[in-house]
Amino acid sequence: MRHIAIIGSGPAGYYTAEACQKQFGNDVAIDMIDRLPVPYGLIRFGVAPDHQSIKAVSRRYEQVALSDNVRFVGNITVGDQVTIEELLSLYDAVVLATGAPVDRALGIPGDDLPGVIGSAAFVGWYNGHPDFTDLNPPLDGAAAAVIGNGNVALDVTRILAKAPAEFVGSDIVTHAFAALGNSAIRRVTVVGRRGPHQIAMTPKELGELGHLQRAVPHVDPADLPPEADDAALDPGQRKAVGHLRSFATLTQDKDVAVDFDFYARPVAIEGDGKAERLIVERTRPVGDGQVEGTGETYAIPCGLVVACIGYRTPPIPGVPYDDRAGRFANSEGRVPVDGGNLYAVGWARRGPTGTIGTNRPDGYMIAESIAADHPQAANKAGGPGLDSLLAARGADKVSFADWQRIEAAEAARARDGAPREKFVVVADMLAARDA
Ligand code: NAP
């Protein structure tokens, strides 16, 4: 029997498990280890709560999780309760599918002021991640700035701009739903250091901003390149830029203004003990999609700054790490360690890019690499070995059946119309399991 440990139970982890099942048939036992008592990683904690159709992919992962040869081993932190060296000796292969849940730093003066928040923290807060339950983002000012021109910036902007009624059917956690319902924010400035042709937003997600009940997007027509230049864009980008062009024609006002501020590079955040304004430098295009600073700066008043500028994978002791890239050192998913049985997949392998589905071929590639590198099972201790090690350490591991009890309890206490009310504290998750 071949024993495989996958660390992380998000999309990359489940696609890898599925691929290993297909690759090795009945000759494999897979343990999916997660530091939280609940599975699905990015699907639960990253995908926006008002995008339930995207979250529905977890049903596919559930099918994998319920297979006889796949176990969920939740509430176990690798690098703490078990080391990577121990896992490498227990399993034929260990796959790091830990995602990229840590914010990249803005690295500008004032980025440590209260009121400056990274998107991992802000998204984690409204999605009920236990690490960010107590974030309490300041929503009492009239304005917020969202830095970045990717889909995460769009998620954050939409969540800040939506009316409470627009969260019906979502699983936004009640602490965030209540706080956003009392929010004083009436202007959200979306700050991009380059121009409309360089956005990393996808058309469907950008188009949504044009259909919000109480918010209207504004684009300065002067920022738009000549329309003929759109011909050089790929179809998706062209469609997204088309949305910006249509936003530029909107003249109506609503309660909340969403202002796109292109060619604006953040240079500092200022305020008296907290964020009060974002200072940006005007940039100008210099060809090839690049920009240069003009030296002209101005202030965007805001009591909340959410930096949506990308993520890093946290290091794990004993795992080679590429600090510049912010992910595990690897060559096509192979992480260089003695024994050659450590792999990285998904965002932990290639950085935080691509859609959820991009992780599927990643997982299949890793399963093929494991088969090529280790054609024979090595007769290792696998899951039973892990269990005795964790038992000796008094670890309280959570199984998939335990998770299903937690899931049922979350469904039972949901607000009207919501699919679930997540537990946002680990102790409460464990209490629901034990109830
Ligand atoms: P992203 O797509 O890489 O966008 C990051 C943005 O931050 C870019 O506009 C980038 O500008 C900007 N940026 C980076 N450093 C900056 C700095 N120092 N100052 C100002 N701006 C800076 O990343 P993301 O939005 O975090 O999304 C991550 C991945 O998840 C993407 O693949 C995304 O499509 C996906 N996602 C998908 C959905 C969905 O499909 N519904 C939702 C959320 C996320 P430059 O281009 O100038 O570097």
Side-chain angles (χ1 to χ4, degrees):
M1 177 69 70
R2 200 181 293 263
H3 296 281
I4 296 178
I6 298 172
I7 307 171
S9 65
Y14 272 109
Y15 286 124
T16 303
E18 180 189 284
C20 288
Q21 287 182 310
K22 295 218 165 102
Q23 183 77 40
F24 302 115
N26 291 330
D27 183 34
V28 69
I30 302 164
D31 279 354
M32 309 208 43
I33 305 172
D34 202 293
R35 76 181 173 97
L36 289 173
V38 295
Y40 306 140
L42 182 92
I43 303 301
R44 179 175 167 107
F45 295 118
V47 172
D50 57 344
H51 281 171
Q52 287 297 314
S53 59
I54 301 180
K55 285 188 189 270
V57 72
S58 63
R59 292 293 160 214
R60 175 181 176 147
Y61 305 154
E62 187 180 45
Q63 292 310 307
V64 176
L66 290 170
S67 321
D68 288 344
N69 58 358
V70 176
R71 286 200 314 168
F72 177 67
V73 185
N75 203 31
I76 299 298
T77 302
V78 174
D80 180 4
Q81 286 146 301
V82 57
T83 67
I84 203 78
E85 291 83 3
E86 287 167 335
L87 292 178
L88 289 170
S89 70
L90 287 169
Y91 292 86
D92 293 67
V94 176
V95 183
L96 302 157
T98 49
V102 174
D103 283 306
R104 278 188 53 217
L106 261 174
I108 57 176
D111 66 0
D112 54 349
L113 282 171
V116 183
I117 295 173
S119 53
F122 191 74
V123 171
W125 170 73
Y126 63 63
N127 261 330
H129 193 296
D131 288 355
F132 305 110
T133 300
D134 299 323
L135 186 73
N136 282 326
L139 305 175
D140 52 340
V146 173
I147 300 174
N149 273 179
N151 280 328
V152 172
L154 276 180
D155 281 346
V156 167
T157 300
R158 191 180 68 255
I159 297 293
L160 285 170
K162 270 193 164 180
E166 291 174 290
F167 287 107
V168 169
S170 82
D171 65 352
I172 188 166
V173 290
T174 289
H175 66 231
F177 180 60
L180 289 163
N182 291 323
S183 167
I185 293 170
R186 292 296 175 267
R187 180 173 303 280
V188 182
T189 305
V190 183
V191 179
R193 59 185 175 180
R194 298 192 288 158
H197 273 191
Q198 285 75 47
I199 58 171
M201 300 163 169
T202 44
K204 182 167 169 288
E205 284 66 27
L206 185 55
E208 267 186 276
L209 269 194
H211 302 283
L212 299 184
Q213 274 178 22
R214 64 165 194 184
V216 67
H218 300 297
V219 170
D220 182 349
D223 283 341
L224 292 165
E227 199 161 346
D229 294 1
D230 291 2
L233 300 174
D234 71 46
Q237 267 182 314
R238 200 177 313 132
K239 205 166 169 194
V241 172
H243 285 305
L244 294 177
R245 293 193 184 282
S246 78
F247 296 166
T249 67
L250 297 176
T251 50
Q252 79 198 113
D253 274 323
K254 292 187 185 174
D255 283 357
V256 178
V258 173
D259 295 344
F260 282 84
D261 198 352
F262 292 108
Y263 300 111
R265 172 155 68 204
V267 290
I269 296 155
E270 296 177 351
D272 189 4
K274 60 182 176 139
E276 288 174 352
R277 59 201 162 268
L278 170 67
I279 310 298
V280 296
E281 179 186 16
R282 181 59 71 217
T283 62
R284 65 177 156 234
V286 290
D288 245 6
Q290 300 309 306
V291 292
E292 66 179 11
T294 62
E296 180 204 340
T297 61
Y298 58 96
I300 299 170
C302 52
L304 170 68
V305 178
V306 187
C308 308
I309 60 166
Y311 301 115
R312 293 169 66 84
T313 296
I316 294 178
V319 179
Y321 190 74
D322 179 345
D323 193 48
R324 194 192 50 79
R327 57 177 185 249
F328 297 119
N330 74 90
S331 171
E332 294 194 327
R334 292 181 172 92
V335 180
V337 290
D338 290 347
N341 60 338
L342 184 59
Y343 300 84
V345 70
W347 283 9
R349 172 180 89 79
R350 54 172 215 280
T353 58
T355 63
I356 290 160
T358 312
N359 295 301
R360 190 170 179 275
D362 242 44
Y364 279 73
M365 178 182 90
I366 293 304
E368 281 172 23
S369 299
I370 294 172
D373 298 348
H374 305 279
Q376 303 300 328
N379 202 17
K380 295 206 177 185
L386 177 68
D387 288 352
S388 43
L389 193 148
L390 291 176
R393 289 173 191 171
D396 182 12
K397 65 182 164 49
V398 168
S399 69
F400 201 76
D402 291 337
W403 149 246
Q404 288 179 305
R405 286 175 65 83
I406 299 169
E407 186 180 34
E410 290 186 338
R413 67 192 208 123
R415 285 188 310 273
D416 272 358
R420 66 189 64 80
E421 178 68 44
K422 293 175 190 167
F423 294 105
V424 299
V425 174
V426 167
D428 293 342
M429 296 171 181
L430 298 177
R433 171 198 63 177
D434 298 334

